[in-house]
């Protein structure tokens, strides 16, 4: 049976089934990073620190907890994407060698990549949906349109994930992953308008923030939550994030084929 007889979707779903089989037995290991940590952060910053922040122009006229929640949704998606796209991918190449086993079947290297990215997208979507539900229960989300923040946060996370997965496919050692967290993820977390308006930072920082998927995701999530989303800017944000995903997929297909094709 040739690889083509599986079809791209069936092959990707088989890969997702593999990840799900592992996850349903080991999900407890991800509870803290995926669910508990973001909720505690929302409580600490939104309720604790937020009690000292006056509702006004800086928060768009909203209480700080409400201002923070949609941004933290996107930030959490980006941070989770970081972990799902680095050590997990590297392990499948070097330590567990799962990918090598998979390509010995009719599944191709490109289909392995597609399955990995689809699994990451499902993880991000489920995690952000759960966080949104908890934020709603805490009173941080009040608008029904906030449900759109889930796909927007997932897209922003994938715009970060896809290029990082491609990068991970080129690594022989995982040493550089810590640098990604320190010099990409942390600045994206702190300096893209999540915790305070971007206008409070020096002007030269703004273009750097605009390049990050987190800033675009925050703009979309806040716009959806507060009902201020405008069509043309939203299409621009979505187009930019989609372009980053497409770039990551193109590079990933190349590097996975180089690494796995025999």
């Amino acid at each position: 049976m040739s690889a083509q007889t599986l079809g791209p979707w069936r092959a990707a779903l088989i890969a997702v089934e593999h990840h799900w089989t592992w996850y349903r037995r080991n999900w407890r290991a991800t509870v803290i990073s995926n669910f508990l940590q973001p909720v505690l952060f929302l409580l600490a910053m939104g309720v604790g620190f937020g009690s000292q922040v006056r509702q006004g122009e800086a928060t768009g006229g909203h209480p700080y907890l409400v201002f923070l929640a949609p941004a933290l949704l996107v930030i959490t998606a980006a941070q989770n994407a970081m972990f799902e796209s680095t050590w997990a991918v590297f392990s499948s190449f070097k330590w567990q060698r799962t990918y090598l086993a998979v390509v010995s079947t009719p599944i191709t290297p490109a289909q392995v990549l597609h399955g990995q990215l689809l699994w990451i997208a499902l993880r991000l979507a489920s995690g952000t949906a759960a966080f949104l539900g908890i934020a709603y229960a805490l009173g941080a989300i009040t608008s029904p349109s906030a449900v759109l923040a889930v796909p927007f946060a997932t897209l922003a996370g994938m715009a970060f994930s896809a290029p990082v997965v491609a990068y991970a496919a080129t690594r022989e050692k995982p040493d550089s992953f810590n640098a990604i967290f320190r010099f990409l993820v942390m600045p994206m977390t702190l300096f893209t308008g999540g915790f305070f308006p971007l206008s409070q930072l020096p002007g030269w920082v703004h273009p750097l923030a605009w390049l990050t998927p987190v800033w675009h995701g925050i703009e979309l999530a806040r716009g959806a939550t507060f009902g201020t989303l405008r069509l043309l800017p939203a299409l621009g944000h979505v187009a930019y994030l989609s372009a980053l995903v497409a770039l990551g997929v193109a590079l990933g297909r190349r590097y996975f084929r180089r690494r796995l094709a025999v």
Side-chain angles (χ1 to χ4, degrees):
M1 182 171 62
S2 65
Q4 286 75 16
T5 60
L6 283 177
W9 278 108
R10 184 182 175 192
L13 290 175
I14 290 173
V16 168
E17 183 182 11
H18 152 71
H19 292 295
W20 169 246
T21 300
W22 180 91
Y23 182 74
R24 69 183 181 183
R25 298 173 181 173
N26 300 276
W27 61 270
R28 295 172 185 82
T30 66
V31 168
I32 293 179
S33 61
N34 287 356
F35 301 104
L36 184 57
Q37 182 175 310
V39 171
L40 292 177
F41 207 83
L42 179 65
L43 289 171
M45 296 298 295
V47 178
F49 174 76
S51 65
Q52 306 302 311
V53 179
R54 292 184 179 180
Q55 180 177 328
E57 182 180 355
T59 63
H62 301 283
Y64 188 72
L65 178 65
V66 176
F67 173 78
L68 176 64
L72 196 57
L73 192 76
V74 177
I75 291 169
T76 299
Q79 291 180 342
N80 289 338
M82 160 67 186
F83 293 108
E84 293 290 336
S85 307
T86 49
W87 285 281
V89 173
F90 181 84
S91 176
S92 295
F93 276 115
K94 291 288 290 185
W95 295 330
Q96 296 179 326
R97 297 182 178 270
T98 308
Y99 292 156
L100 295 175
V102 172
V103 295
S104 66
T105 72
I107 298 177
T108 66
Q111 291 168 340
V112 172
L113 168 69
H114 298 161
Q116 181 71 55
L117 292 176
L118 179 58
W119 171 249
I120 293 173
L122 291 173
R123 286 290 311 278
L124 297 184
S126 62
T128 53
F131 180 82
L132 184 71
I134 295 171
Y136 176 79
L138 293 173
I141 298 292
T142 57
S143 171
S145 63
V147 70
L148 293 175
V150 171
F152 289 150
T154 302
L155 178 60
M158 292 308 299
F160 179 70
S161 172
V164 173
V165 167
Y167 174 76
T170 67
R171 299 294 90 193
E172 293 295 333
K173 295 182 179 180
D175 301 347
S176 58
F177 296 155
N178 289 328
I180 293 177
F181 186 81
R182 291 186 183 124
F183 301 115
L184 284 180
V185 177
M186 288 307 297
M188 283 196 305
T189 297
L190 297 174
F191 303 117
T192 52
F195 299 98
F196 51 86
L198 189 62
S199 59
Q200 302 298 311
L201 293 173
W204 63 267
V205 178
H206 297 182
L208 298 177
W210 298 336
L211 292 174
T212 67
V214 170
W215 179 79
H216 293 273
I218 289 174
E219 291 294 300
L220 288 168
R222 280 204 176 120
T225 302
F226 301 152
T228 58
L229 200 63
R230 292 180 295 170
L231 180 60
L232 288 180
L235 290 177
H237 293 310
V238 171
Y240 180 77
L241 294 174
S242 299
L244 289 179
V245 174
L247 175 63
V249 171
L251 292 174
R253 287 171 64 95
R254 177 181 179 182
Y255 297 142
F256 269 62
R257 183 171 60 251
R258 179 186 300 174
R259 194 80 175 263
L260 298 174
V262 292

